[in-house]
Amino acid sequence: IVEILIFSLGLAYRQRREKHAQQQANFRLRESELIQEKNQLEASRLQELNDFKTRFYTNITHEFRTPLTVIMGMTENIKNHEEEKTLIRRNSQNLLQLVNQLLDLSKLESDTLTLQNTYDDIIPYLQYLTESFYSAAAQKNIRLVFYAEEKAVPMDYDEVKVQQIVYNLLSNALKFSQQNGQVVFHAGKTEIDGASFLKLIVKDNGIGISAEHIGQIFNRFYQVNPGDDHTELSTGIGLALVKELVDLMQGKLTVSSEQGQGTEFTLLLPITAKATASANTKPVYGDKHQDRASSQQATTVLAEAATAASGEEETRHDSDLPELLIIEDNADIISYIKTILGQQYKIYTAANGVLGIAKALEIIPDIIISDVMMPEKNGYEVCDMLKQEERTSHIPIILLTAKATQADRVDGLKHGADAYLTKPFDKNELLVRLEKLVANNRQLQEHYAHGAPATTAPTLDDIFLQKLSEQISSHMGDAQFGVAELASAVHMSQMQVYRKLKALTGKTPSQFIRSQRLQQGLSLLRKGGLTIAEIAYTVGFNEPAYFSRVFQQEFGKSPSDYLK
């Protein structure tokens, strides 16, 4: 009985274990099935998202191309206005290039972008592509060199795809190279595991890429330091497209860089001979006049930006026009503002914050328009420095930027900006802002012209005028104390004193000195005890008759009439 009981209990326990194990197996199977279903759903969702992105890229780029076609076509119907037409064409071409890059990315994602290879010598083509960048490099004093180890490398290649790759690599090299830098484009052949490759190297000695960013520069839409106002931003499309095109060609692209020392891109493309030879066809780059002009359109912005860095003023400088300084690193924005304001202002330009500050201190302009995101120093730093500098504290500054949030506006005003406009800005709004600032300047001139005291804590402008008055007062009896002596006493150039004093009071330095002498003469007349001639000599006039004449011009009465 005991044995039967023990056997029964053991059998029951075994059956329970087997049932539990079966339940666990069923549970794991169901869990695996659920995970598999989830993965399939996730994969399907990702595929749908990729399909949507591809359709979106394709549709939006085609939608962009329609108005671009109209813009570029209608531009040719405009008579005269050659400068404006050139600006429209160039920017339309640049936008079209970005659109084409997006379209190529979408085709790569959907596996519909194919190579259109021809068999030809690639070395002359690479030389030609490099030549189209010579003018842009020269404008920045960058030495651009193309060096080929081989006299000829016949191979299969897609001219359009190679052009896109070379354009992006050389554009980046020039963009991130400093003045007087060097960019080397090297071409040669190499053998890897018995296979022949074209080896291309683009090397610069520019700003370089930090280790934290170098692994991500081929990611789409990735920007190095996107929030740094000192860094020129890009779309993040170019290098991603280069990487995709190289992969499409079954090549390899690598990059090495050291921050502050430069960057080197190395490209390997397989050398094959499967395509039809192009000996009987005219290559894309054969028409030097037409195609070189087309290729150079894309690099003109770099050249013009470098030209703008010189800060040279326009040749049309009427003496009675107010002076405007534009601090902006985008040459096309400068050109656009010139078309709006060129008839109303003498326009000076500077291509970055450091040059802008130096130019402002040199010429003391009537008004400044400054971009916010610029190399060297950003617009906020420009505002801070100029508003805290005695020579330029009075100059109205308009900040112009793509940062459009309310917080950005407030931040700009905190740095002392007198107005804040967001890109794309409205032409009429810019004109109204300038008119208002000019009107405010007139009110400021009336305030100081009448000697009105500061109602709050004295500003830098109040302190500046007080310094001038003190210097004139301390040399009141010295008839030889003039503009040169006054400028030297306050440690400024005569032009700087002239520009600031004219902006604040509407008077030239000589008029301001004379006005101060006449005010002192009026005070002495009120006190009495001195003849008109004695008063004239006391306040620095060599001729009493001249003193009487200018006194009447200033106060509406002659000294003798005033005494009566």
Side-chain angles (χ1 to χ4, degrees):
I1 292 173
V2 172
E3 288 176 351
I4 292 174
L5 181 60
I6 293 173
F7 176 77
S8 298
L9 290 173
L11 185 61
Y13 176 72
R14 181 178 177 182
Q15 288 176 341
R16 282 189 61 190
R17 287 192 61 183
E18 289 177 351
K19 183 177 180 181
H20 179 72
Q22 183 63 38
Q23 289 176 341
Q24 289 289 330
N26 291 338
F27 176 78
R28 285 193 294 270
L29 179 61
R30 180 55 182 164
E31 184 179 36
S32 176
E33 291 174 350
L34 289 174
I35 292 174
Q36 187 175 4
E37 289 178 7
K38 182 180 178 181
N39 290 339
Q40 289 175 347
L41 288 173
E42 182 67 17
S44 177
R45 189 186 70 84
L46 289 175
Q47 184 60 46
E48 290 177 1
L49 181 61
N50 285 333
D51 291 342
F52 170 77
K53 285 166 57 181
T54 300
R55 289 195 304 272
F56 172 78
Y57 285 146
T58 303
N59 293 338
I60 198 69
T61 48
H62 280 295
E63 290 298 323
F64 276 137
R65 291 172 69 91
T66 300
L68 274 173
T69 301
V70 176
I71 292 170
M72 297 171 70
M74 292 302 295
T75 301
E76 302 306 319
N77 295 334
I78 300 174
K79 304 300 181 184
N80 303 320
H81 303 285
E82 293 303 321
E83 182 179 353
E84 290 84 353
K85 287 165 64 177
T86 300
L87 194 63
I88 294 171
R89 286 194 205 99
R90 181 167 61 252
N91 281 274
S92 298
Q93 288 286 351
N94 291 342
L95 184 55
L96 185 60
Q97 183 184 22
L98 290 174
V99 168
N100 288 336
Q101 288 183 344
L102 281 172
L103 188 60
D104 285 344
L105 283 174
S106 69
K107 289 180 179 179
L108 283 165
E109 282 194 339
S110 59
D111 294 327
T112 58
L113 186 66
T114 58
L115 295 175
Q116 304 295 323
N117 284 337
T118 58
Y119 182 77
D120 204 350
D121 182 8
I122 197 172
I123 297 299
Y125 184 55
L126 296 175
Q127 173 71 51
Y128 160 70
L129 293 178
T130 307
E131 287 176 1
S132 66
F133 284 87
Y134 281 169
S135 60
Q139 292 292 342
K140 291 185 68 175
N141 290 324
I142 293 174
R143 184 170 180 262
L144 175 59
V145 178
F146 175 73
Y147 172 66
E149 291 183 358
E150 307 288 335
K151 291 183 178 180
V153 179
M155 61 179 288
D156 298 331
Y157 68 95
D158 185 321
E159 291 180 348
V160 175
K161 308 300 187 297
V162 171
Q163 183 181 29
Q164 288 177 308
I165 291 171
V166 172
Y167 167 77
N168 278 291
L169 293 181
L170 288 181
S171 292
N172 275 344
L174 291 176
K175 182 189 299 183
F176 296 111
S177 291
Q178 306 293 340
Q179 293 277 343
N180 304 312
Q182 177 173 288
V183 175
V184 177
F185 184 19
H186 177 269
K189 289 173 63 176
T190 187
E191 298 285 331
I192 300 178
D193 297 330
S196 296
F197 289 85
L198 174 70
K199 185 176 183 180
L200 303 178
I201 298 174
V202 176
K203 184 177 182 180
D204 64 71
N205 59 354
I207 62 176
I209 307 169
S210 64
E212 61 179 306
H213 295 298
I214 197 167
Q216 304 180 71
I217 61 172
F218 296 123
N219 296 341
R220 295 180 188 181
F221 313 115
Y222 183 79
Q223 297 174 336
V224 178
N225 294 332
D228 185 355
D229 289 334
H230 295 174
T231 303
E232 183 177 357
L233 298 184
S234 63
T235 59
I237 297 175
L239 289 179
L241 178 61
V242 169
K243 183 66 168 62
E244 298 274 10
L245 291 176
V246 172
D247 290 343
L248 180 66
M249 298 177 184
Q250 299 181 346
K252 183 179 181 181
L253 177 64
T254 58
V255 58
S256 61
S257 183
E258 184 176 348
Q259 203 162 13
Q261 300 297 317
T263 304
E264 180 177 314
F265 288 90
T266 301
L267 170 63
L268 295 175
L269 295 177
I271 297 176
T272 59
K274 300 177 181 177
T276 303
S278 61
N280 296 325
T281 61
K282 177 178 159 297
V284 170
Y285 55 92
D287 188 341
K288 294 292 184 180
H289 296 289
Q290 178 180 349
D291 295 300
R292 180 172 299 185
S294 176
S295 298
Q296 285 180 331
Q297 282 183 344
T299 61
T300 305
V301 173
L302 285 173
E304 292 192 354
T307 303
S310 65
E312 292 300 324
E313 63 270 22
E314 291 286 279
T315 54
R316 184 186 179 277
H317 266 193
D318 299 335
S319 59
D320 58 338
L321 293 180
E323 295 186 354
L324 167 66
L325 172 61
I326 304 172
I327 308 175
E328 168 66 68
D329 61 336
N330 187 303
D332 286 341
I333 295 294
I334 291 176
S335 297
Y336 177 54
I337 295 176
K338 284 180 179 179
T339 64
I340 300 173
L341 306 174
Q343 300 300 317
Q344 298 99 329
Y345 293 87
K346 306 173 187 177
I347 296 180
Y348 298 82
T349 63
N352 60 55
V354 170
L355 294 175
I357 292 170
K359 198 69 177 177
L361 292 173
E362 176 192 345
I363 66 173
I364 314 295
D366 295 291
I367 197 164
I368 294 173
I369 297 175
S370 175
D371 189 19
V372 169
M373 292 186 292
M374 294 183 295
E376 305 296 339
K377 285 190 181 296
N378 62 44
Y380 296 147
E381 293 170 311
V382 170
C383 241
D384 284 335
M385 294 194 69
L386 294 181
K387 289 295 186 180
Q388 294 173 21
E389 167 60 47
E390 184 180 64
R391 291 168 287 180
T392 55
S393 60
H394 67 285
I395 302 174
I397 299 177
I398 297 177
L399 286 182
L400 188 65
T401 181
K403 292 186 171 183
T405 67
Q406 183 63 23
D408 292 322
R409 288 176 177 268
V410 173
D411 198 18
L413 296 174
K414 284 181 179 179
H415 287 276
D418 297 89
Y420 196 97
L421 294 181
T422 56
K423 298 177 183 177
F425 59 88
D426 181 76
K427 177 177 71 173
N428 293 325
E429 183 180 2
L430 176 61
L431 292 172
V432 169
R433 292 283 189 180
L434 289 170
E435 289 174 3
K436 291 294 184 183
L437 291 173
V438 169
N440 290 342
N441 270 0
R442 292 197 189 103
Q443 293 177 0
L444 186 66
Q445 289 177 4
E446 293 175 5
H447 170 84
Y448 286 119
H450 291 87
T455 55
T456 58
T459 64
L460 285 177
D461 298 333
D462 296 324
I463 295 171
F464 170 75
L465 291 176
Q466 182 63 33
K467 284 169 60 177
L468 294 185
S469 297
E470 289 174 356
Q471 290 295 330
I472 296 170
S473 179
S474 64
H475 297 84
M476 188 62 70
D478 182 4
Q480 302 304 317
F481 186 81
V483 178
E485 290 74 23
L486 179 62
S488 177
V490 295
H491 308 294
M492 295 170 66
S493 70
Q494 293 185 52
M495 191 277 291
Q496 289 171 335
V497 173
Y498 175 88
R499 297 290 301 156
K500 185 171 180 69
L501 197 54
K502 185 74 171 174
L504 290 177
T505 66
K507 297 178 179 179
T508 66
S510 59
Q511 291 171 339
F512 184 79
I513 293 172
R514 188 179 68 187
S515 180
Q516 294 287 305
R517 294 184 188 278
L518 291 172
Q519 287 289 344
Q520 181 64 22
L522 178 61
S523 178
L524 292 175
L525 279 173
R526 287 173 174 167
K527 290 180 180 179
L530 295 174
T531 66
I532 294 175
E534 289 173 332
I535 292 174
Y537 293 130
T538 301
V539 297
F541 286 88
N542 288 328
E543 299 178 6
Y546 177 66
F547 169 73
S548 297
R549 186 166 65 253
V550 295
F551 187 95
Q552 184 168 4
Q553 292 173 359
E554 184 83 6
F555 301 112
K557 291 181 180 180
S558 67
S560 57
D561 289 338
Y562 189 87
L563 287 176
K564 293 176 184 179

